[in-house]
Amino acid sequence: MKISSSANGLFVPEVDPYYYVSTENQSFLDKFSKISKKHPVNVLVVGKQGCGKSSLVRQYAAVNRLPLATFQIGILSEPGQLFGEYALENGETRYKQFLFPQAIQTPNCVIHLEEINRPEHPKALNMLFSILSDDRQVWMDELGLLQVAPGVVFFATLNEGAEFVGTELLDPALRDRFYVTTMDFLPNEVEIEVLEKKTGVTHEQAREIITVANSIRANADLGVDVSTRKILMLGEMIAAGGTLREAIVTSLQTDKKTLESVLLSLHVNQGKVEKSKTEYVQYIAA
């Protein structure tokens, strides 16, 4: 199946040759694919920030050669906003249909509802209840009856926990409509292999990055989570010629005080990060 992204907003993503998943989750995905041959499926992917949830959805679509459409739930503030909106066009108010109605009516489409527990207003998800229920249809005055096409798989991803600002607890009635699969960070040896293959760092550099990441993860007082995404950013900085300190400073998104604590901890306890003296130079074209 080949669907052009320029033609209708849907596309079949490329397979990531270095994407790893646990055998358990691989088995789950295979079963979800089989179930989708009988009727549409809802899958909730839960895990820590940056552990590869969104990549899992993309890889599922790529491996199965299915069209993918991704929707940011965090921008929704009212019911129906996924479907379209009224807009002024040539002096007239007309209803403009968005991609979501087209996606749900496309057979075998993979639909990613990103950060489903972070809408601007909880009632913004109300119209999803019918789409995700056994009924699989919803009526809209502007669009008529919308029915979910055969083979559609809805993946909803979320970072669960009070530490995420703006996060709402997912409505139990909505959560009850999903199969659930949980993700975590990759084992160290797999993370090392991914670092080498994806960023081009050496085996020694990759092992050092993971050692540092584990040290930060193990220090609860720092309150810093080093995700798989952050590890890849560290690797890319080092592969580009940066020092470990430069990689940490630019990749860990935290406040200055916490960052200084991280650097001091690594310098004192492991001698991994050198102290830095800031100098200023002109930044101009060569």
Side-chain angles (χ1 to χ4, degrees):
M1 178 185 297
K2 185 174 178 60
I3 295 182
S4 169
S5 59
S6 59
N8 58 14
L10 304 176
F11 71 101
V12 178
E14 296 291 328
V15 172
D16 180 350
Y18 307 126
Y19 185 79
Y20 288 79
V21 68
S22 71
T23 53
E24 181 178 56
N25 278 337
Q26 183 184 45
S27 177
F28 291 161
L29 294 173
D30 289 342
K31 305 304 185 297
F32 298 149
S33 178
K34 290 178 181 178
I35 295 171
S36 72
K37 302 295 191 297
K38 297 190 292 184
H39 57 74
V41 183
N42 310 326
V43 181
L44 181 64
V45 186
V46 182
K48 296 179 180 178
Q49 187 177 27
C51 70
K53 298 183 297 297
S54 296
S55 298
L56 177 76
V57 180
R58 176 181 287 266
Q59 190 75 348
Y60 174 87
V63 168
N64 292 285
R65 297 190 295 280
L66 302 174
L68 171 68
T70 300
F71 301 93
Q72 303 287 340
I73 301 302
I75 65 174
L76 302 182
S77 58
E78 58 186 49
Q81 200 171 357
L82 268 175
F83 297 83
E85 67 178 4
Y86 284 98
L88 191 64
E89 186 177 312
N90 298 324
E92 295 183 10
T93 302
R94 296 182 179 180
Y95 188 79
K96 180 181 179 182
Q97 178 180 307
F98 292 160
L99 178 61
F100 188 71
Q102 176 191 332
I104 66 174
Q105 295 178 98
T106 300
N108 305 311
C109 189
V110 176
I111 298 176
H112 182 192
L113 305 173
E114 196 162 22
E115 296 192 310
I116 193 171
N117 59 331
R118 297 191 70 176
E120 290 187 8
H121 194 285
K123 290 186 177 180
L125 300 180
N126 284 357
M127 291 190 70
L128 279 178
F129 278 71
S130 296
I131 293 293
L132 298 173
S133 70
D134 293 339
D135 197 35
R136 299 290 179 183
Q137 61 183 21
V138 66
W139 172 268
M140 294 190 67
D141 292 338
E142 299 86 354
L143 301 173
L145 183 65
L146 301 175
Q147 294 180 301
V148 178
V152 170
V153 179
F154 292 91
F155 279 94
T157 54
L158 63 82
N159 300 314
E160 229 173 8
E163 67 270 25
F164 295 103
V165 177
T167 297
E168 297 285 340
L169 292 175
L170 195 61
D171 188 311
L174 183 59
R175 189 174 186 130
D176 189 56
R177 288 162 164 76
F178 288 89
Y179 289 100
V180 180
T181 183
T182 303
M183 295 187 66
D184 204 343
F185 298 137
L186 296 170
N188 286 171
E189 291 306 315
V190 178
E191 279 189 318
I192 289 171
E193 184 174 353
V194 171
L195 262 173
E196 291 180 60
K197 291 179 176 178
K198 281 199 167 188
T199 69
V201 296
T202 66
H203 182 77
E204 290 71 23
Q205 287 172 325
R207 187 166 291 281
E208 183 178 42
I209 291 170
I210 298 303
T211 299
V212 167
N214 286 340
S215 176
I216 297 173
R217 288 168 174 169
N219 192 337
D221 293 337
L222 294 175
V224 177
D225 248 344
V226 185
S227 66
T228 302
R229 182 188 302 132
K230 291 300 179 189
I231 284 173
L232 290 172
M233 291 172 66
L234 290 167
E236 287 178 338
M237 275 294 293
I238 290 174
T243 64
L244 184 57
R245 185 185 189 283
E246 289 175 327
I248 290 171
V249 168
T250 55
S251 301
L252 296 188
Q253 295 178 5
T254 186
D255 60 88
K256 185 176 181 181
K257 183 177 180 181
T258 303
L259 182 60
E260 289 174 349
S261 297
V262 169
L263 295 172
L264 180 61
S265 173
L266 293 173
H267 178 72
V268 172
N269 297 332
Q270 297 188 35
K272 291 287 185 184
V273 180
E274 70 283 3
K275 291 184 177 180
S276 174
K277 180 181 178 181
T278 302
E279 296 180 354
Y280 286 83
V281 296
Q282 284 181 294
Y283 181 51
I284 57 177

